[in-house]
Amino acid sequence: VPPASTDIPAFLAPGTKRININNDSQLLHFYSNTHPLVSFKIVFHKGTSEEEYPGISKVMFELLTSGTDSKSALDFATELDYLGASLNFSESRDYAVCKLNCLSEVFDTAFELLKDALFNPKFDELEIEKTVRKFKSAKEQEEADSNYLSTTAMMASLFREHPYGYPEYGFSEEVEEFTRKNIKNCWE
């Protein structure tokens, strides 16, 4: 028995608005008023391959949610938690992503927290110290993983002196260069 229809249904994407922010950035806006959840993403066209110190952006992105000029790390996390929102930063070799998830009814407040994290990060020395220790521990764990080691060796042999060939968590001797000044330079 043949199928009732051979027509393939087309995916209908929600209406999309493209807004030019400046020469380097565009905002793509997909809107649906039928969903109570907002998923907001910002993609930055700057990835880990442009780092001064390999691995430093991982530390910098983690610190963006570790306090701002107006909020301690605890206050920032408490406010996000109270809203039921999540704010995450991730990076790849070619781009970085900021992702905010929340209910539409708290979006304005959650978006203010996102802006505060992006534009007013504190980069507190104590938070830097804790984050660098955590980073070193993660680096040690990765270096005990044969999959990580083989991938790192393959990337290094394929890309040699190109940043794609650098280890994801940087070089051990450069982790000490993850100072407040260098982290702030990475953020700027």
Side-chain angles (χ1 to χ4, degrees):
V1 175
S5 173
T6 57
D7 295 338
I8 299 172
F11 172 72
L12 300 175
T16 304
K17 257 195 215 179
R18 183 182 302 260
I19 302 165
N20 288 322
I21 297 171
N22 60 31
N23 291 338
D24 297 325
S25 303
Q26 291 183 346
L27 173 67
L28 297 177
H29 181 242
F30 301 96
Y31 177 75
S32 170
N33 62 0
T34 60
H35 299 285
L37 182 65
V38 174
S39 181
F40 183 87
K41 295 178 188 171
I42 302 172
V43 179
F44 301 96
H45 295 282
K46 184 176 181 183
T48 59
S49 63
E50 298 178 36
E51 296 174 321
E52 182 178 359
Y53 301 100
I56 197 167
S57 66
K58 285 188 172 303
V59 172
M60 184 270 300
F61 280 124
E62 183 149 338
L63 287 166
L64 288 180
T65 57
S66 297
T68 66
D69 290 341
S70 63
K71 292 173 181 49
S72 70
L74 180 60
D75 290 341
F76 190 89
T78 301
E79 283 192 43
L80 267 178
D81 188 50
Y82 177 76
L83 296 172
S86 67
L87 177 60
N88 302 298
F89 294 90
S90 61
E91 68 288 323
S92 74
R93 296 192 191 280
D94 297 312
Y95 61 90
V97 178
C98 167
K99 183 176 180 181
L100 171 67
N101 288 321
C102 64
L103 292 173
S104 58
E105 63 196 45
V106 299
F107 176 73
D108 290 341
T109 306
F111 188 68
E112 289 302 317
L113 286 172
L114 178 146
K115 288 192 313 188
D116 199 22
L118 280 177
F119 298 114
N120 305 305
K122 191 170 194 172
F123 297 128
D124 179 73
E125 290 292 347
L126 183 60
E127 292 296 329
I128 290 171
E129 194 176 302
K130 286 190 326 191
T131 304
V132 167
R133 266 197 324 268
K134 183 176 162 183
F135 181 84
K136 285 180 181 179
S137 176
K139 182 171 177 43
E140 288 170 8
Q141 288 177 346
E142 287 289 345
E143 289 174 347
D145 178 17
S146 60
N147 185 43
Y148 174 81
L149 292 174
S150 63
T151 300
T152 300
M154 178 191 71
M155 295 298 281
S157 68
L158 288 173
F159 295 103
R160 293 188 171 67
E161 296 301 314
H162 188 277
Y164 280 19
Y166 299 160
E168 182 180 358
Y169 285 92
F171 299 103
S172 297
E173 62 275 7
E174 290 184 342
V175 173
E176 299 306 321
E177 298 297 325
F178 293 4
T179 63
R180 183 176 195 276
K181 179 182 176 193
N182 292 338
I183 291 167
K184 211 167 177 188
N185 285 344
C186 177
W187 167 73
E188 294 172 343

